[in-house]
Amino acid sequence: MTLRCAMMMVLLSLMSSASLTAQSDSVGGPYDRLVIRGATVIDGTGSPPVGPMDVVIEGGTIVELRRTTPVDLAQGAGGAVRAPADRVIDGAGRYVMPGIIDAHTHMGSLLPDDYIPSLWLAHGITAVRVFVAGEDDQAVRLARLQRRGEAVLAPRIVLYRFWRGDDPRLWNADGAREVVREWKAAGLDGIKISGKPGLFPDVLAAISVEAAAQGMGVAVHDGQDGVAPMNAVAVAGAGVTTIEHHYGYAESTFRDRTVQDLDPDYNYGEELKRFRATARVWDEADLDVLYGDVLDTLVALSRGGRFTMVPTFSVYEDQTDLARARNLPWLEAYTMPALMDRWTPNPEVHGSFYFEWTSGDEGAWGRLFLKWLPWVNAFKNRGGLVVVGSDTGTSYHLYGFGTIREMELMQRAGFHPLEVIRSATMESARAVGTPDAGVVRPGYRADLLVLDLNPLEDLKVLYGTGVERVSRDGVATVQHGLTYTIVGGRVIEAQERLAHVAALVASARHNATRP
Ligand SMILES: [Zn+2]
Protein backbone atom coordinates (compact mmCIF):
# COMPACT_ATOMS: atom_id res chain seq x y z
CA MET A 1 0.00 0.00 0.00
CA THR A 2 1.38 3.45 -0.89
CA LEU A 3 1.60 6.20 1.75
CA ARG A 4 -1.03 8.19 -0.11
CA CYS A 5 -3.32 5.18 -0.10
CA ALA A 6 -2.65 4.57 3.61
CA MET A 7 -3.53 8.18 4.43
CA MET A 8 -6.72 7.83 2.42
CA MET A 9 -7.65 4.71 4.40
CA VAL A 10 -7.13 6.56 7.70
CA LEU A 11 -9.22 9.46 6.43
CA LEU A 12 -11.96 7.11 5.28
CA SER A 13 -12.08 5.34 8.62
CA LEU A 14 -12.26 8.70 10.46
CA MET A 15 -15.07 9.77 8.15
CA SER A 16 -16.96 6.58 8.76
CA SER A 17 -16.71 7.06 12.55
CA ALA A 18 -17.90 10.64 12.18
CA SER A 19 -20.84 9.61 10.02
CA LEU A 20 -22.12 7.55 12.96
CA THR A 21 -22.83 10.67 14.97
CA ALA A 22 -23.61 13.10 12.14
CA GLN A 23 -27.13 14.26 11.38
CA SER A 24 -28.36 13.86 7.84
CA ASP A 25 -31.56 14.39 5.88
CA SER A 26 -32.41 10.72 6.22
CA VAL A 27 -32.41 10.89 10.03
CA GLY A 28 -34.83 12.99 12.10
CA GLY A 29 -35.62 13.51 15.75
CA PRO A 30 -36.04 12.65 18.49
CA TYR A 31 -39.07 14.95 18.36
CA ASP A 32 -40.90 16.67 21.20
CA ARG A 33 -43.97 15.02 19.76
CA LEU A 34 -44.10 12.50 16.91
CA VAL A 35 -47.35 10.86 15.81
CA ILE A 36 -47.66 7.78 13.59
CA ARG A 37 -51.23 8.20 12.43
CA GLY A 38 -53.67 5.45 11.56
CA ALA A 39 -51.34 2.43 11.38
CA THR A 40 -52.03 -1.24 12.03
CA VAL A 41 -50.10 -2.18 15.16
CA ILE A 42 -48.43 -5.55 15.84
CA ASP A 43 -47.51 -4.91 19.47
CA GLY A 44 -44.87 -7.63 20.06
CA THR A 45 -46.77 -9.53 22.77
CA GLY A 46 -48.19 -12.10 20.35
CA SER A 47 -51.54 -10.27 20.14
CA PRO A 48 -53.05 -10.06 16.67
CA PRO A 49 -52.73 -6.84 14.68
CA VAL A 50 -55.17 -4.02 15.43
CA GLY A 51 -55.77 -0.70 13.74
CA PRO A 52 -56.06 1.94 12.64
CA MET A 53 -54.21 3.26 15.64
CA ASP A 54 -52.29 6.42 16.47
CA VAL A 55 -48.94 5.99 18.20
CA VAL A 56 -47.69 9.08 20.04
CA ILE A 57 -44.00 9.42 20.87
CA GLU A 58 -42.40 12.14 22.97
CA GLY A 59 -38.61 12.24 22.86
CA GLY A 60 -37.50 8.64 23.08
CA THR A 61 -40.65 7.22 24.69
CA ILE A 62 -44.04 5.99 23.54
CA VAL A 63 -46.56 8.03 25.52
CA GLU A 64 -49.94 7.17 24.06
CA LEU A 65 -51.79 4.66 21.88
CA ARG A 66 -55.18 5.54 20.49
CA ARG A 67 -57.44 3.09 18.68
CA THR A 68 -59.42 4.62 15.86
CA THR A 69 -61.30 1.56 14.58
CA PRO A 70 -64.95 2.28 13.66
CA VAL A 71 -66.15 0.27 16.68
CA ASP A 72 -63.85 2.12 19.07
CA LEU A 73 -64.97 5.45 17.67
CA ALA A 74 -68.64 4.46 17.94
CA GLN A 75 -68.14 3.42 21.56
CA GLY A 76 -66.33 6.65 22.33
CA ALA A 77 -63.39 4.62 23.60
CA GLY A 78 -60.84 5.79 21.08
CA GLY A 79 -60.40 8.80 18.89
CA ALA A 80 -57.62 10.12 16.76
CA VAL A 81 -54.90 12.24 18.29
CA ARG A 82 -55.65 15.85 17.49
CA ALA A 83 -53.00 17.67 19.51
CA PRO A 84 -50.27 19.24 17.35
CA ALA A 85 -47.12 17.26 16.55
CA ASP A 86 -43.65 18.19 15.31
CA ARG A 87 -43.84 15.39 12.82
CA VAL A 88 -46.62 13.15 11.60
CA ILE A 89 -45.91 9.86 9.80
CA ASP A 90 -48.88 8.73 7.76
CA GLY A 91 -49.59 5.19 8.94
CA ALA A 92 -52.50 4.48 6.58
CA GLY A 93 -51.96 1.07 5.00
CA ARG A 94 -48.79 0.65 7.05
CA TYR A 95 -47.74 -1.58 9.94
CA VAL A 96 -45.99 -0.63 13.17
CA MET A 97 -44.14 -3.20 15.26
CA PRO A 98 -41.39 -3.05 17.90
CA GLY A 99 -37.82 -2.98 16.63
CA ILE A 100 -36.03 -6.31 16.36
CA ILE A 101 -33.58 -7.22 19.13
CA ASP A 102 -30.79 -9.57 18.03
CA ALA A 103 -29.64 -11.44 21.15
CA HIS A 104 -26.46 -12.95 19.69
CA THR A 105 -24.00 -10.83 17.72
CA HIS A 106 -20.32 -9.96 17.45
CA MET A 107 -18.59 -6.86 16.05
CA GLY A 108 -14.80 -7.03 16.56
CA SER A 109 -12.63 -4.34 15.04
CA LEU A 110 -12.12 -5.46 11.44
CA LEU A 111 -14.75 -3.29 9.73
CA PRO A 112 -15.58 0.45 9.60
CA ASP A 113 -17.59 1.63 12.61
CA ASP A 114 -20.70 2.38 10.56
CA TYR A 115 -20.78 -0.79 8.43
CA ILE A 116 -22.39 -3.36 10.76
CA PRO A 117 -24.69 -0.83 12.50
CA SER A 118 -25.99 0.38 9.12
CA LEU A 119 -26.79 -3.18 8.04
CA TRP A 120 -28.63 -3.67 11.31
CA LEU A 121 -30.68 -0.47 10.97
CA ALA A 122 -31.51 -1.36 7.34
CA HIS A 123 -33.13 -4.55 8.69
CA GLY A 124 -35.10 -3.05 11.55
CA ILE A 125 -32.72 -4.08 14.32
CA THR A 126 -32.93 -1.56 17.14
CA ALA A 127 -30.93 -3.37 19.85
CA VAL A 128 -28.19 -5.99 19.88
CA ARG A 129 -26.46 -8.06 22.52
CA VAL A 130 -22.79 -8.08 21.48
CA PHE A 131 -20.22 -10.52 22.84
CA VAL A 132 -16.86 -8.78 23.12
CA ALA A 133 -13.35 -10.01 23.84
CA GLY A 134 -12.10 -6.77 25.38
CA GLU A 135 -11.89 -3.00 25.40
CA ASP A 136 -10.70 -2.63 21.80
CA ASP A 137 -13.94 -4.03 20.36
CA GLN A 138 -15.94 -1.61 18.21
CA ALA A 139 -19.04 -2.43 20.28
CA VAL A 140 -17.42 -1.15 23.48
CA ARG A 141 -16.54 2.15 21.81
CA LEU A 142 -20.05 2.60 20.38
CA ALA A 143 -21.76 1.60 23.64
CA ARG A 144 -19.67 4.19 25.53
CA LEU A 145 -20.78 6.92 23.10
CA GLN A 146 -24.40 5.83 23.51
CA ARG A 147 -24.18 5.83 27.28
CA ARG A 148 -22.72 9.35 27.24
CA GLY A 149 -25.91 10.38 25.46
CA GLU A 150 -24.38 10.87 22.01
CA ALA A 151 -26.71 10.31 19.08
CA VAL A 152 -24.96 7.29 17.60
CA LEU A 153 -26.52 5.98 14.40
CA ALA A 154 -26.68 2.38 15.63
CA PRO A 155 -28.96 0.03 17.53
CA ARG A 156 -28.73 0.14 21.32
CA ILE A 157 -25.81 -2.05 22.35
CA VAL A 158 -25.84 -4.48 25.28
CA LEU A 159 -22.32 -5.66 26.18
CA TYR A 160 -21.36 -9.15 27.35
CA ARG A 161 -17.70 -10.05 27.80
CA PHE A 162 -16.15 -13.42 27.04
CA TRP A 163 -14.95 -15.37 30.09
CA ARG A 164 -11.46 -15.66 28.64
CA GLY A 165 -8.02 -14.20 29.12
CA ASP A 166 -4.86 -14.35 31.19
CA ASP A 167 -6.44 -13.52 34.54
CA PRO A 168 -5.90 -16.60 36.81
CA ARG A 169 -9.02 -15.63 38.77
CA LEU A 170 -11.16 -16.83 35.83
CA TRP A 171 -10.32 -20.41 36.88
CA ASN A 172 -11.66 -20.47 40.48
CA ALA A 173 -14.90 -19.61 42.25
CA ASP A 174 -13.62 -16.88 44.58
CA GLY A 175 -11.77 -15.19 41.75
CA ALA A 176 -14.82 -15.50 39.52
CA ARG A 177 -17.00 -13.57 41.96
CA GLU A 178 -14.44 -10.73 42.07
CA VAL A 179 -14.18 -10.58 38.29
CA VAL A 180 -17.97 -10.43 37.87
CA ARG A 181 -18.14 -7.46 40.27
CA GLU A 182 -15.29 -5.70 38.44
CA TRP A 183 -16.97 -6.22 35.07
CA LYS A 184 -20.20 -4.80 36.46
CA ALA A 185 -18.34 -1.71 37.66
CA ALA A 186 -16.74 -1.40 34.20
CA GLY A 187 -20.18 -1.11 32.60
CA LEU A 188 -20.61 -4.63 31.26
CA ASP A 189 -24.12 -6.06 31.17
CA GLY A 190 -23.25 -9.74 31.25
CA ILE A 191 -20.84 -12.60 30.76
CA LYS A 192 -20.41 -14.90 27.77
CA ILE A 193 -19.03 -18.34 28.57
CA SER A 194 -17.70 -20.57 25.83
CA GLY A 195 -16.22 -23.80 27.16
CA LYS A 196 -13.59 -23.77 29.90
CA PRO A 197 -12.80 -22.19 32.33
CA GLY A 198 -16.35 -20.89 32.81
CA LEU A 199 -17.86 -24.36 32.46
CA PHE A 200 -16.16 -25.89 35.49
CA PRO A 201 -19.21 -26.48 37.71
CA ASP A 202 -17.84 -24.53 40.69
CA VAL A 203 -16.85 -21.56 38.51
CA LEU A 204 -20.17 -21.56 36.62
CA ALA A 205 -22.13 -21.61 39.89
CA ALA A 206 -20.09 -18.70 41.27
CA ILE A 207 -20.52 -16.66 38.07
CA SER A 208 -24.28 -17.32 37.95
CA VAL A 209 -24.93 -16.41 41.58
CA GLU A 210 -22.81 -13.25 41.48
CA ALA A 211 -24.19 -12.17 38.11
CA ALA A 212 -27.77 -12.54 39.39
CA ALA A 213 -26.88 -10.44 42.44
CA GLN A 214 -25.40 -7.75 40.16
CA GLY A 215 -28.32 -7.78 37.72
CA MET A 216 -26.15 -9.20 34.92
CA GLY A 217 -26.90 -11.95 32.42
CA VAL A 218 -24.92 -15.13 31.72
CA ALA A 219 -24.88 -16.56 28.19
CA VAL A 220 -23.39 -20.00 27.65
CA HIS A 221 -22.04 -21.69 24.57
CA ASP A 222 -21.93 -25.29 25.82
CA GLY A 223 -20.11 -27.88 23.75
CA GLN A 224 -17.53 -30.51 23.26
CA ASP A 225 -14.81 -28.44 24.93
CA GLY A 226 -16.99 -28.14 27.99
CA VAL A 227 -16.63 -30.15 31.14
CA ALA A 228 -18.66 -33.36 31.28
CA PRO A 229 -21.20 -33.72 32.78
CA MET A 230 -22.02 -30.02 32.15
CA ASN A 231 -24.60 -30.80 29.49
CA ALA A 232 -27.33 -28.27 28.67
CA VAL A 233 -29.62 -29.40 31.49
CA ALA A 234 -26.81 -28.97 34.02
CA VAL A 235 -25.82 -25.60 32.57
CA ALA A 236 -29.41 -24.28 32.62
CA GLY A 237 -29.82 -25.63 36.16
CA ALA A 238 -26.78 -23.64 37.29
CA GLY A 239 -28.83 -20.47 36.81
CA VAL A 240 -27.53 -19.08 33.52
CA THR A 241 -29.86 -16.75 31.60
CA THR A 242 -29.36 -18.00 28.03
CA ILE A 243 -27.98 -21.04 26.24
CA GLU A 244 -26.74 -20.23 22.75
CA HIS A 245 -26.67 -22.67 19.81
CA HIS A 246 -27.60 -26.38 19.79
CA TYR A 247 -24.79 -27.76 21.93
CA GLY A 248 -25.38 -29.86 25.04
CA TYR A 249 -29.01 -30.81 24.41
CA ALA A 250 -28.31 -34.14 22.68
CA GLU A 251 -25.77 -35.01 25.41
CA SER A 252 -28.49 -34.34 28.01
CA THR A 253 -30.39 -37.38 26.68
CA PHE A 254 -27.56 -39.88 27.14
CA ARG A 255 -28.29 -42.62 29.65
CA ASP A 256 -25.46 -45.15 29.14
CA ARG A 257 -22.59 -42.62 29.19
CA THR A 258 -22.09 -38.85 29.55
CA VAL A 259 -19.96 -37.90 26.54
CA GLN A 260 -20.32 -38.17 22.76
CA ASP A 261 -18.77 -41.21 21.10
CA LEU A 262 -15.97 -39.19 19.44
CA ASP A 263 -13.21 -40.68 17.26
CA PRO A 264 -9.80 -41.04 18.97
CA ASP A 265 -8.24 -38.49 16.58
CA TYR A 266 -10.86 -35.84 17.37
CA ASN A 267 -9.39 -32.44 18.25
CA TYR A 268 -11.66 -29.53 19.21
CA GLY A 269 -8.99 -27.14 17.95
CA GLU A 270 -9.43 -28.38 14.37
CA GLU A 271 -12.64 -26.76 13.27
CA LEU A 272 -13.39 -29.00 10.29
CA LYS A 273 -13.34 -32.04 12.60
CA ARG A 274 -15.23 -30.17 15.28
CA PHE A 275 -18.08 -29.09 13.03
CA ARG A 276 -18.33 -32.51 11.43
CA ALA A 277 -18.61 -34.25 14.78
CA THR A 278 -20.94 -31.83 16.50
CA ALA A 279 -23.78 -32.48 14.05
CA ARG A 280 -23.44 -36.22 14.48
CA VAL A 281 -24.05 -36.07 18.24
CA TRP A 282 -27.72 -35.64 17.34
CA ASP A 283 -27.64 -39.10 15.71
CA GLU A 284 -26.96 -40.40 19.24
CA ALA A 285 -29.78 -38.39 20.86
CA ASP A 286 -32.59 -40.36 22.52
CA LEU A 287 -35.76 -38.58 21.35
CA ASP A 288 -37.94 -40.05 24.13
CA VAL A 289 -35.66 -38.53 26.74
CA LEU A 290 -35.33 -35.30 24.73
CA TYR A 291 -39.10 -34.78 24.70
CA GLY A 292 -39.46 -36.23 28.23
CA ASP A 293 -37.17 -35.39 31.15
CA VAL A 294 -34.99 -32.91 29.26
CA LEU A 295 -37.91 -30.84 27.99
CA ASP A 296 -39.69 -30.97 31.39
CA THR A 297 -36.62 -29.68 33.21
CA LEU A 298 -35.80 -26.92 30.74
CA VAL A 299 -39.41 -25.73 30.53
CA ALA A 300 -39.62 -25.54 34.34
CA LEU A 301 -36.43 -23.43 34.45
CA SER A 302 -37.69 -21.19 31.65
CA ARG A 303 -41.07 -20.66 33.28
CA GLY A 304 -39.16 -19.59 36.37
CA GLY A 305 -38.21 -16.63 34.20
CA ARG A 306 -34.44 -16.99 34.06
CA PHE A 307 -33.57 -19.50 31.33
CA THR A 308 -34.01 -18.67 27.63
CA MET A 309 -32.93 -20.49 24.45
CA VAL A 310 -31.06 -18.58 21.74
CA PRO A 311 -30.87 -21.26 19.03
CA THR A 312 -29.04 -19.26 16.32
CA PHE A 313 -30.44 -21.72 13.74
CA SER A 314 -29.26 -19.52 10.87
CA VAL A 315 -25.55 -19.66 11.69
CA TYR A 316 -25.67 -23.39 10.86
CA GLU A 317 -27.58 -23.14 7.61
CA ASP A 318 -24.36 -23.01 5.56
CA GLN A 319 -23.49 -26.40 7.09
CA THR A 320 -26.74 -27.83 5.71
CA ASP A 321 -26.31 -26.37 2.21
CA LEU A 322 -22.99 -24.69 1.44
CA ALA A 323 -23.82 -23.83 -2.18
CA ARG A 324 -26.92 -21.94 -1.10
CA ALA A 325 -24.98 -19.99 1.52
CA ARG A 326 -22.22 -18.97 -0.89
CA ASN A 327 -24.66 -17.70 -3.51
CA LEU A 328 -27.04 -15.61 -1.44
CA PRO A 329 -28.21 -12.73 -3.64
CA TRP A 330 -27.10 -9.95 -1.28
CA LEU A 331 -23.51 -11.05 -0.66
CA GLU A 332 -21.98 -9.35 -3.70
CA ALA A 333 -23.25 -5.82 -3.07
CA TYR A 334 -23.19 -5.71 0.73
CA THR A 335 -20.19 -7.74 1.94
CA MET A 336 -16.98 -5.84 2.70
CA PRO A 337 -13.92 -7.37 0.98
CA ALA A 338 -12.20 -7.81 4.36
CA LEU A 339 -15.16 -9.87 5.56
CA MET A 340 -15.25 -11.98 2.39
CA ASP A 341 -11.51 -12.64 2.91
CA ARG A 342 -12.22 -13.97 6.39
CA TRP A 343 -14.78 -16.38 4.95
CA THR A 344 -12.19 -18.00 2.70
CA PRO A 345 -11.23 -21.31 4.39
CA ASN A 346 -8.51 -20.59 6.91
CA PRO A 347 -7.45 -22.75 9.89
CA GLU A 348 -6.89 -19.60 11.97
CA VAL A 349 -10.37 -18.10 11.55
CA HIS A 350 -13.35 -19.35 13.56
CA GLY A 351 -16.09 -20.71 11.29
CA SER A 352 -13.97 -20.71 8.09
CA PHE A 353 -13.38 -24.45 7.89
CA TYR A 354 -14.74 -25.41 4.47
CA PHE A 355 -11.57 -26.96 3.07
CA GLU A 356 -13.90 -29.73 1.99
CA TRP A 357 -17.55 -30.29 2.78
CA THR A 358 -19.34 -33.42 1.64
CA SER A 359 -22.88 -34.59 1.06
CA GLY A 360 -22.39 -36.68 4.22
CA ASP A 361 -21.64 -33.52 6.23
CA GLU A 362 -24.66 -31.70 4.83
CA GLY A 363 -26.75 -34.80 5.49
CA ALA A 364 -25.71 -34.91 9.15
CA TRP A 365 -26.51 -31.21 9.61
CA GLY A 366 -29.81 -31.69 7.76
CA ARG A 367 -30.75 -34.51 10.15
CA LEU A 368 -29.80 -32.28 13.08
CA PHE A 369 -32.21 -29.61 11.79
CA LEU A 370 -35.00 -32.20 11.41
CA LYS A 371 -34.67 -33.11 15.11
CA TRP A 372 -33.67 -29.82 16.65
CA LEU A 373 -36.12 -27.36 15.07
CA PRO A 374 -39.38 -29.14 16.02
CA TRP A 375 -38.00 -29.78 19.52
CA VAL A 376 -37.34 -26.04 20.03
CA ASN A 377 -40.92 -25.46 18.83
CA ALA A 378 -42.18 -27.97 21.42
CA PHE A 379 -40.16 -26.15 24.11
CA LYS A 380 -41.89 -22.90 23.10
CA ASN A 381 -45.33 -24.55 23.07
CA ARG A 382 -44.84 -25.80 26.62
CA GLY A 383 -44.04 -22.27 27.84
CA GLY A 384 -40.28 -22.09 27.24
CA LEU A 385 -38.71 -18.82 26.09
CA VAL A 386 -36.93 -18.77 22.72
CA VAL A 387 -35.45 -15.59 21.24
CA VAL A 388 -33.87 -14.38 18.02
CA GLY A 389 -30.08 -14.45 17.83
CA SER A 390 -28.25 -14.58 14.52
CA ASP A 391 -24.52 -14.99 15.33
CA THR A 392 -23.89 -13.21 12.02
CA GLY A 393 -20.39 -12.47 10.79
CA THR A 394 -19.03 -15.98 10.20
CA SER A 395 -19.08 -17.69 6.78
CA TYR A 396 -21.62 -16.14 4.38
CA HIS A 397 -23.87 -15.12 7.27
CA LEU A 398 -24.19 -11.38 6.76
CA TYR A 399 -25.26 -8.90 9.44
CA GLY A 400 -28.90 -7.81 9.22
CA PHE A 401 -29.84 -10.29 6.50
CA GLY A 402 -28.94 -13.17 8.82
CA THR A 403 -31.22 -11.89 11.57
CA ILE A 404 -34.23 -11.93 9.24
CA ARG A 405 -33.21 -15.41 8.08
CA GLU A 406 -33.20 -16.52 11.73
CA MET A 407 -36.83 -15.39 11.97
CA GLU A 408 -37.66 -17.36 8.82
CA LEU A 409 -36.09 -20.49 10.31
CA MET A 410 -38.20 -20.09 13.45
CA GLN A 411 -41.21 -20.14 11.17
CA ARG A 412 -39.82 -23.32 9.61
CA ALA A 413 -39.54 -24.80 13.13
CA GLY A 414 -43.28 -24.24 13.56
CA PHE A 415 -43.57 -20.79 15.14
CA HIS A 416 -46.53 -18.67 14.01
CA PRO A 417 -45.32 -15.32 12.60
CA LEU A 418 -46.85 -13.59 15.65
CA GLU A 419 -44.71 -15.88 17.83
CA VAL A 420 -41.62 -15.18 15.72
CA ILE A 421 -42.14 -11.44 16.16
CA ARG A 422 -42.79 -11.86 19.91
CA SER A 423 -39.50 -13.81 20.17
CA ALA A 424 -37.68 -11.10 18.23
CA THR A 425 -39.10 -8.23 20.30
CA MET A 426 -40.74 -8.62 23.74
CA GLU A 427 -39.00 -11.84 24.71
CA SER A 428 -35.64 -10.86 23.25
CA ALA A 429 -35.82 -7.59 25.20
CA ARG A 430 -36.30 -9.46 28.48
CA ALA A 431 -33.59 -11.99 27.65
CA VAL A 432 -30.93 -9.35 26.98
CA GLY A 433 -31.91 -7.22 29.97
CA THR A 434 -33.69 -4.31 28.28
CA PRO A 435 -37.30 -4.86 29.44
CA ASP A 436 -38.12 -1.20 28.69
CA ALA A 437 -38.25 -2.10 24.97
CA GLY A 438 -39.81 -4.71 22.70
CA VAL A 439 -43.51 -3.82 23.10
CA VAL A 440 -45.62 -1.09 21.50
CA ARG A 441 -46.90 0.23 24.81
CA PRO A 442 -46.98 3.62 26.56
CA GLY A 443 -43.97 4.04 28.82
CA TYR A 444 -41.79 1.85 26.59
CA ARG A 445 -38.86 3.01 24.49
CA ALA A 446 -39.73 4.29 21.05
CA ASP A 447 -37.79 1.54 19.25
CA LEU A 448 -40.25 0.89 16.43
CA LEU A 449 -40.51 -0.13 12.80
CA VAL A 450 -42.82 1.37 10.20
CA LEU A 451 -43.50 -1.10 7.38
CA ASP A 452 -45.27 -0.71 4.04
CA LEU A 453 -45.93 -4.46 3.79
CA ASN A 454 -47.32 -6.93 6.33
CA PRO A 455 -44.58 -9.00 8.02
CA LEU A 456 -47.19 -11.54 9.20
CA GLU A 457 -47.93 -12.35 5.57
CA ASP A 458 -44.26 -12.72 4.70
CA LEU A 459 -41.31 -12.21 7.06
CA LYS A 460 -39.15 -11.66 3.99
CA VAL A 461 -40.53 -8.12 3.68
CA LEU A 462 -38.15 -7.29 6.55
CA TYR A 463 -35.07 -7.85 4.34
CA GLY A 464 -33.37 -4.57 3.49
CA THR A 465 -33.37 -5.60 -0.16
CA GLY A 466 -37.13 -6.25 -0.03
CA VAL A 467 -39.02 -8.99 -1.83
CA GLU A 468 -39.49 -9.66 -5.53
CA ARG A 469 -43.03 -10.14 -6.79
CA VAL A 470 -43.79 -11.30 -10.32
CA SER A 471 -47.07 -10.41 -12.00
CA ARG A 472 -49.06 -12.95 -14.05
CA ASP A 473 -47.71 -11.37 -17.22
CA GLY A 474 -44.17 -11.89 -16.03
CA VAL A 475 -43.21 -8.41 -14.83
CA ALA A 476 -40.93 -8.54 -11.78
CA THR A 477 -40.94 -5.76 -9.23
CA VAL A 478 -39.04 -5.39 -5.98
CA GLN A 479 -41.14 -4.21 -3.05
CA HIS A 480 -39.58 -2.81 0.09
CA GLY A 481 -41.31 -3.58 3.37
CA LEU A 482 -39.31 -1.56 5.87
CA THR A 483 -39.53 2.23 5.55
CA TYR A 484 -38.45 3.61 8.93
CA THR A 485 -36.39 2.16 11.75
CA ILE A 486 -37.03 4.27 14.85
CA VAL A 487 -34.42 4.03 17.61
CA GLY A 488 -35.07 5.96 20.82
CA GLY A 489 -37.42 8.28 18.90
CA ARG A 490 -34.95 8.96 16.05
CA VAL A 491 -36.52 8.21 12.70
CA ILE A 492 -34.04 6.56 10.30
CA GLU A 493 -34.72 5.79 6.64
CA ALA A 494 -33.90 2.10 6.26
CA GLN A 495 -33.20 2.25 2.53
CA GLU A 496 -30.72 5.10 2.94
CA ARG A 497 -28.75 2.98 5.44
CA LEU A 498 -28.60 0.10 2.97
CA ALA A 499 -27.42 2.45 0.20
CA HIS A 500 -24.74 3.70 2.60
CA VAL A 501 -23.52 0.11 3.07
CA ALA A 502 -23.38 -0.43 -0.70
CA ALA A 503 -21.29 2.74 -1.00
CA LEU A 504 -18.90 1.60 1.76
CA VAL A 505 -18.44 -1.75 0.03
CA ALA A 506 -17.91 -0.18 -3.41
CA SER A 507 -15.33 2.24 -2.06
CA ALA A 508 -13.46 -0.49 -0.14
CA ARG A 509 -13.35 -2.59 -3.30
CA HIS A 510 -12.13 0.34 -5.35
CA ASN A 511 -9.34 1.00 -2.83
CA ALA A 512 -8.38 -2.68 -2.73
CA THR A 513 -7.87 -2.80 -6.50
CA ARG A 514 -5.73 0.37 -6.68
CA PRO A 515 -1.94 -0.13 -6.81
ZN1 LIG B 1 -21.37 -16.21 18.51
Side-chain angles (χ1 to χ4, degrees):
M1 195 189 311
T2 63
L3 182 64
R4 191 190 150 87
C5 192
M7 283 173 63
M8 188 57 124
M9 294 284 281
V10 170
L11 198 64
L12 271 174
S13 79
L14 285 175
M15 281 167 56
S16 75
S17 293
S19 73
L20 267 177
T21 47
Q23 285 284 352
S24 76
D25 291 348
S26 61
V27 181
Y31 300 92
D32 287 342
R33 197 173 159 85
L34 164 68
V35 178
I36 307 169
R37 198 183 295 286
T40 300
V41 172
I42 302 164
D43 73 0
T45 66
S47 292
V50 57
M53 204 174 235
D54 290 354
V55 182
V56 185
I57 295 155
E58 289 180 2
T61 308
I62 302 167
V63 295
E64 198 181 346
L65 286 178
R66 280 177 168 254
R67 288 163 67 133
T68 58
T69 66
V71 171
D72 289 316
L73 292 176
Q75 290 178 342
V81 170
R82 292 285 165 236
D86 302 285
R87 180 169 176 184
V88 175
I89 293 175
D90 180 9
R94 287 174 156 170
Y95 297 82
V96 170
M97 63 174 268
I100 295 164
I101 297 163
D102 191 326
H104 187 130
T105 66
H106 305 266
M107 291 189 82
S109 46
L110 175 75
L111 302 162
D113 274 357
D114 53 346
Y115 173 70
I116 301 172
S118 298
L119 277 170
W120 282 334
L121 294 171
H123 289 84
I125 297 158
T126 54
V128 286
R129 183 172 66 164
V130 188
F131 302 128
V132 301
E135 287 294 303
D136 56 350
D137 196 290
Q138 209 166 62
V140 175
R141 208 161 54 240
L142 296 182
R144 291 244 160 85
L145 289 172
Q146 288 180 342
R147 289 167 198 195
R148 279 211 307 264
E150 301 223 20
V152 180
L153 205 47
R156 175 159 59 157
I157 293 171
V158 174
L159 290 174
Y160 277 42
R161 183 161 173 178
F162 275 101
W163 195 258
R164 270 186 209 149
D166 302 330
D167 191 335
R169 294 177 303 168
L170 299 175
W171 291 81
N172 67 75
D174 288 342
R177 280 186 283 271
E178 271 180 39
V179 171
V180 171
R181 288 194 290 270
E182 281 172 21
W183 286 8
K184 173 70 181 185
L188 290 156
D189 305 299
I191 295 116
K192 168 76 186 297
I193 295 166
S194 192
K196 291 187 281 285
L199 281 186
F200 283 111
D202 56 332
V203 177
L204 184 63
I207 294 170
S208 298
V209 169
E210 191 60 41
Q214 300 292 336
M216 299 169 85
V218 181
V220 173
H221 168 146
D222 202 358
Q224 294 157 340
D225 66 337
V227 181
M230 291 307 282
N231 59 40
V233 164
V235 166
V240 309
T241 50
T242 59
I243 288 185
E244 318 296 304
H245 313 307
H246 73 88
Y247 310 113
Y249 297 120
E251 288 89 334
S252 302
T253 72
F254 292 174
R255 287 297 176 262
D256 52 350
R257 58 191 149 73
T258 58
V259 297
Q260 183 180 357
D261 188 16
L262 294 167
D263 289 338
D265 71 340
Y266 177 88
N267 176 353
Y268 187 79
E270 290 178 41
E271 289 214 337
L272 180 58
K273 278 185 181 163
R274 167 182 158 189
F275 280 97
R276 283 189 157 149
T278 191
R280 289 164 172 90
V281 71
W282 282 80
D283 289 334
E284 299 179 49
D286 181 326
L287 289 185
D288 290 338
V289 180
L290 192 67
Y291 280 87
D293 286 355
V294 172
L295 201 58
D296 291 344
T297 307
L298 294 177
V299 165
L301 289 167
S302 198
R303 282 186 167 164
R306 192 143 171 91
F307 169 62
T308 300
M309 275 186 197
V310 189
T312 70
F313 295 129
S314 52
V315 76
Y316 303 111
E317 202 175 20
D318 50 340
Q319 274 104 300
T320 68
D321 189 348
L322 184 57
R324 176 190 184 279
R326 294 180 64 171
N327 289 288
L328 290 167
W330 44 76
L331 293 182
E332 172 74 17
Y334 302 106
T335 309
M336 286 295 262
L339 193 54
M340 199 56 102
D341 285 350
R342 277 181 69 84
W343 295 346
T344 308
N346 180 342
E348 290 171 17
V349 177
H350 174 51
S352 297
F353 52 80
Y354 292 118
F355 303 97
E356 57 180 64
W357 196 246
T358 67
S359 60
D361 296 321
E362 293 192 352
W365 279 94
R367 292 194 299 281
L368 179 162
F369 266 45
L370 289 174
K371 288 183 180 172
W372 180 37
L373 269 65
W375 179 69
V376 172
N377 190 42
F379 173 76
K380 176 262 299 171
N381 290 340
R382 294 267 305 274
L385 295 168
V386 183
V387 305
V388 170
S390 64
D391 203 5
T392 35
T394 55
S395 292
Y396 317 112
H397 196 30
L398 192 57
Y399 306 94
F401 293 94
T403 309
I404 307 307
R405 185 62 185 164
E406 181 69 20
M407 294 170 71
E408 286 194 77
L409 291 179
M410 292 175 104
Q411 188 167 26
R412 180 185 295 185
F415 287 53
H416 187 280
L418 282 169
E419 293 177 317
V420 175
I421 288 174
R422 182 178 63 197
S423 286
T425 57
M426 182 178 80
E427 288 176 355
S428 222
R430 286 181 188 162
V432 306
T434 59
D436 59 337
V439 184
V440 185
R441 175 176 168 181
Y444 276 55
R445 248 176 82 101
D447 287 354
L448 300 168
L449 309 183
V450 179
L451 296 143
D452 280 358
L453 300 171
N454 185 354
L456 298 173
E457 189 182 334
D458 185 358
L459 293 169
K460 290 181 194 292
V461 307
L462 290 161
Y463 281 114
T465 43
V467 286
E468 189 182 88
R469 303 282 186 235
V470 185
S471 70
R472 300 285 153 183
D473 48 358
V475 179
T477 49
V478 173
Q479 298 178 353
H480 292 286
L482 181 61
T483 305
Y484 299 116
T485 301
I486 303 177
V487 183
R490 293 177 90 202
V491 181
I492 299 158
E493 286 179 19
Q495 281 303 302
E496 188 281 335
R497 282 294 90 194
L498 197 66
H500 179 70
V501 169
L504 282 175
V505 170
S507 130
R509 245 189 229 137
H510 177 73
N511 287 326
T513 54
R514 271 205 315 216

